[in-house]
Structures are given as structure tokens and as C-alpha cells.
């Protein structure tokens, strides 16, 4: 698999069930969300703007997508809703993933992507808050699994597992 195929296979509307586990405190939390991923042309002005803001060459854009999500976590009734833009820059099997969050397109730390031997997408993000490693793979065309591990500078760790089922295919 490469980044273009990964974005294409991820497009559509997904129902996600998430389980978080705070390793050091044995605290667990679950949640549900809906995620919509829509492919965006690399020439879209918002994509080009994100590349410029993060000092990346727009000619190196491999894929781009708009994200929308809404969901809740156990123990809260507040519905979280947000949007984002993700842009893959680099080679088909490795490069950087740029991100912006919210309606104002605030650039956030992205990370480096690659693909494992089994075709799974691997994203590693390093910043002042720690190291996040996320693996995403497809069990079938409409079932996607995601594992995330966050390692904080103080030694604490959080792991999460999501199972996601596509409820609507991408718009043609």
C-alpha cells in the first residue's frame, strides 16, 4: 500500500468505537464517533496554504483530505465536533503528514508516515508533549483498525484502540 491508496481507501463516512487505557493508572475510557474523510485535490488553495505555512514544497504533495468528526467519550455528555485537513508530502511509502485543525485552519504538529511490511500505515509524531505512534490497517474494504500509543516525557503512557466500520462509501 502507498499513501495515495491509503487515502483513497480511507475516504467515506466511518463509525468508530474507541477504547483508551491509561497504562500507569489503569484508568479506562471508551467512546464513539463518526468520521468523514473527503479527498481534496492537491491544488486546492487550503492545501497549498497549509504547505506554505509549514514550509513544504507544494510540488511534493502526494494526497490530501478534509476530515470532519463528532463524538463523545464515556463519562461526558459533551459532543466533540471538529474539522481538519491532512496533507501527505513526500514519497508514496514515506514522508510527512501535515495537519490543520478547526475552521481557521490552524497548523498543528504533524508527523512522519511510512508503511509496515503488512501494508499498515504508521504515523510517528514527536513534539514537546511526547511521542505518539499510530498504526492503521484494513481488515477489509469497510473495516479499519487503529492503534495509538502516546508516550509522555514524564514516563506516563496512554494506549488506544479503535475499530471503525465504513457506513457510507466516498462520493464519486
Amino acid at each position: 500500500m502507498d499513501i495515495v491508496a491509503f487515502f483513497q481507501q480511507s475516504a467515506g463516512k466511518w463509525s468508530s468505537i474507541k477504547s483508551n487505557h491509561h497504562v500507569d493508572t489503569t484508568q479506562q475510557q471508551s467512546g464513539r464517533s463518526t468520521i468523514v474523510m473527503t479527498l481534496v485535490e492537491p491544488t486546492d488553495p487550503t492545501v497549498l496554504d497549509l504547505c506554505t505555512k509549514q514550509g513544504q514544497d507544494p510540488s511534493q504533495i502526494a494526497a490530501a483530505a478534509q476530515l470532519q468528526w463528532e463524538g463523545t467519550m464515556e463519562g461526558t455528555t459533551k459532543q466533540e465536533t471538529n474539522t481538519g485537513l491532512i496533507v501527505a508530502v513526500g514519497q508514496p511509502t514515506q514522508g510527512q503528514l501535515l495537519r490543520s485543525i478547526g475552521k481557521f485552519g490552524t497548523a498543528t504538529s504533524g508527523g512522519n508516515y511510512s508503511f509496515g511490511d503488512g501494508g499498515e500505515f504508521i504515523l510517528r509524531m514527536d513534539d514537546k508533549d511526547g511521542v505518539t505512534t499510530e498504526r492503521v490497517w484494513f481488515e477489509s474494504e469497510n473495516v479499519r483498525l487503529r492503534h495509538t500509543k502516546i508516550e509522555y516525557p514524564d514516563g506516563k503512557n496512554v494506549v488506544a484502540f479503535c475499530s471503525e466500520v465504513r457506513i457510507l462509501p466516498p462520493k464519486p
Side-chain angles (χ1 to χ4, degrees), residues 75-148:
T76 179
T77 57
K78 183 180 177 189
Q79 178 105 359
E80 296 289 333
T81 303
N82 216 334
T83 62
L85 177 69
I86 54 174
V87 178
V89 178
Q91 302 300 313
T93 58
Q94 64 181 12
Q96 287 191 298
L97 191 71
L98 312 179
R99 301 184 314 152
S100 70
I101 303 294
K103 64 181 177 180
F104 298 112
T106 305
T108 63
S109 60
N112 296 312
Y113 70 84
S114 61
F115 287 85
D117 294 337
E120 72 274 14
F121 171 80
I122 302 167
L123 178 63
R124 180 181 167 99
M125 299 174 282
D126 294 287
D127 62 27
K128 64 178 176 48
D129 296 324
V131 177
T132 301
T133 305
E134 185 167 80
R135 290 176 173 15
V136 183
W137 66 99
F138 293 90
E139 284 295 311
S140 68
E141 182 180 343
N142 294 313
V143 177
R144 180 172 68 184
L145 303 173
R146 195 162 33 114
H147 175 268
T148 306

Side-chain angles (χ1 to χ4, degrees), residues 9 16 30 32 34 38 49 69 72 77-78 85 97 106 115 125 135 144 157 159:
Q9 193 165 348
S16 179
S30 62
R32 292 181 170 271
T34 301
T38 306
D49 184 52
W69 64 93
T72 58
T77 57
K78 183 180 177 189
L85 177 69
L97 191 71
T106 305
F115 287 85
M125 299 174 282
R135 290 176 173 15
R144 180 172 68 184
N157 294 295
V159 294

Side-chain angles (χ1 to χ4, degrees), residues 8-13 37-39 142 166 168-172:
Q8 289 171 340
Q9 193 165 348
S10 295
K13 185 174 185 179
M37 183 167 167
T38 306
L39 300 179
N142 294 313
R166 188 189 329 258
L168 286 177
K171 294 180 181 177

